[in-house]
Amino acid sequence: MVTFAPLFVFTLISLAVGHEVGNSGGDYPLVVSTWPFLEAVRAAWTAVNTGFSALDAVVEGCSACEELRCDGTVGPGGSPDENGETTIDALVMNGATMEVGAVAAMRYIKDGIRAARLVMEHTEHTMLVGEKASAFAISMGLPGPTNLSSNDSMEKWIKWKKNRCQPNFWKNVLPVDSCGPYKPEDNVNSVEYTCLINNAKFRSKSYHVGVHNHDTISMAVFDKMGHIAVGTSTNGATFKIPGRVGDGPIAGSSSYADDEVGACGATGDGDIMMRFLPCYQVVESMRLGMEPKLAAKDAISRIARKYPNFIGAVFAVNKNGVHAGACHGWTFQYSVRSPSMDDVEVFTVIS
């Protein structure tokens, strides 16, 4: 892990109240990212501050996080699925043109954000998935195929298997044995039922989402011309069911940008958050005149009303560079670099 910069702590006074910090005069460039991924923010800042476009810079920033395997939740070598395999979800969005490129459940390719950009720039599509996304990325010059597992991810997976594949993401099922295969409860006959361990039904436990087992880098960059781009990269939820796609590659969920308004980035329980498109909500609320702190609070509160036990967070930043964060169920941190700062600064939001 990189060393955290000094923290600026703002205590929230209710369920999902955000704090708000101004960027002096709306000066550009500006980089905002989920979590204290300092080297990723520095990489994006170096690029954008030397004249690169917002799109170039957000790709550089997210790519640095993939290479560093930030928290084990970005890039290769982390978050094994039920089969022990690591896959990649990523997205990039151009706030000037509203173009989006994304890859989901991509196997064998470590450069998620670069693959997403290739989808945006060289196809008429928005998203490619699975092995076909991998084949596309290789055909466009990215290195692969590559084994995305690591010693750490395999050790985690083996330990999980020894724990009878608990916790997991199944519900309303009965396993043939402790690690499946699984069948719907209503379709399991009495003979199969008696073969279950202790004749007991196995229901998946509530899986705790946390920084070190289920997370995302979501980054927004404003370049010197005021254009905005956002990017997201993640290796998804640990021990997910193979084929699962979370919010990472979904425009409007993990991130969203519009040059006319601003940008948003999100992190947390993507399976729930993607049902609400929180970043689209944030940007559209700001379009209607809502300040970033209220837009962030509103988006999180909408989810919390329906899912009071969910864990997640967003940052919001408007076109003037005013930024804020809101969260629910955990303590959230986001990182900022602007012309008025000597280095990256980390802001803490408490739910």
Side-chain angles (χ1 to χ4, degrees), residues 207-263:
Y207 192 71
H208 178 68
V209 178
V211 174
H212 299 292
N213 60 19
H214 181 126
D215 193 39
T216 305
I217 181 171
S218 184
M219 177 181 285
V221 177
F222 294 58
D223 63 24
K224 291 184 176 181
M225 299 297 293
H227 297 308
I228 313 170
V230 291
T232 301
S233 184
T234 180
N235 51 40
T238 305
F239 312 131
K240 58 187 171 286
I241 298 169
R244 178 262 189 186
V245 173
D247 67 330
I250 308 300
S253 187
S254 66
S255 58
Y256 198 72
D258 187 332
D259 275 14
E260 297 177 359
V261 182

Side-chain angles (χ1 to χ4, degrees), residues 7-78:
L7 301 182
F8 291 75
V9 181
F10 297 80
T11 301
L12 307 189
I13 60 175
S14 65
L15 178 70
V17 178
H19 65 273
E20 188 169 74
V21 182
N23 179 34
S24 179
D27 291 339
Y28 303 129
L30 176 68
V31 180
V32 184
S33 174
T34 54
W35 304 116
F37 296 147
L38 306 189
E39 294 305 322
V41 175
R42 288 174 182 140
W45 174 259
T46 297
V48 74
N49 197 43
T50 53
F52 283 75
S53 70
L55 184 61
D56 289 334
V58 82
V59 169
E60 289 302 310
C62 290
S63 182
C65 210
E66 291 171 345
E67 293 174 9
L68 291 168
R69 303 182 180 186
C70 292
D71 275 340
T73 62
V74 180

Side-chain angles (χ1 to χ4, degrees), residues 85-210:
E85 183 179 5
T86 297
T87 54
I88 304 294
D89 296 342
L91 170 146
V92 66
M93 181 174 187
N94 185 335
T97 64
M98 309 306 285
E99 292 174 292
V100 175
V103 292
M106 186 172 67
R107 309 173 72 187
Y108 315 131
I109 304 296
K110 63 182 180 64
D111 300 303
I113 195 71
R114 297 190 189 281
R117 183 175 187 173
L118 290 170
V119 172
M120 184 179 74
E121 293 188 337
H122 298 289
T123 81
E124 295 290 341
H125 302 311
T126 292
M127 182 188 298
L128 297 178
V129 303
E131 290 191 35
K132 298 303 183 182
S134 308
F136 166 80
I138 291 171
S139 75
M140 298 301 292
L142 291 182
T146 301
N147 182 2
L148 301 184
S149 298
S150 65
N151 290 337
D152 287 344
S153 69
M154 293 309 297
E155 288 175 7
K156 184 183 294 186
W157 178 69
I158 291 169
K159 182 177 180 181
W160 177 75
K161 294 283 282 188
K162 289 180 178 178
N163 193 43
R164 298 154 71 116
C165 299
Q166 296 292 330
N168 61 53
F169 288 93
W170 293 90
K171 66 180 183 180
N172 304 322
V173 296
L174 293 168
V176 171
D177 60 38
S178 60
C179 287
Y182 301 90
K183 296 183 179 181
E185 286 180 339
D186 293 342
N187 293 342
V188 178
N189 64 38
S190 59
V191 175
E192 292 173 318
Y193 180 79
T194 58
C195 293
L196 297 175
I197 298 172
N198 296 325
N199 291 340
K201 293 184 179 181
F202 280 71
R203 292 184 175 88
S204 60
K205 299 177 182 178
S206 177
Y207 192 71
H208 178 68
V209 178

Side-chain angles (χ1 to χ4, degrees), residues 93 98 230 250-258 261-266 273-288 295 298-299 302 314-315:
M93 181 174 187
M98 309 306 285
V230 291
I250 308 300
S253 187
S254 66
S255 58
Y256 198 72
D258 187 332
V261 182
C264 168
M273 296 180 78
M274 67 194 297
R275 301 168 192 174
F276 294 82
L277 297 179
C279 277
Y280 178 79
Q281 182 67 54
V282 165
V283 172
E284 291 308 304
S285 292
M286 292 193 298
R287 189 191 306 277
L288 295 175
D298 175 69
R302 288 168 184 260
V314 298
F315 70 75

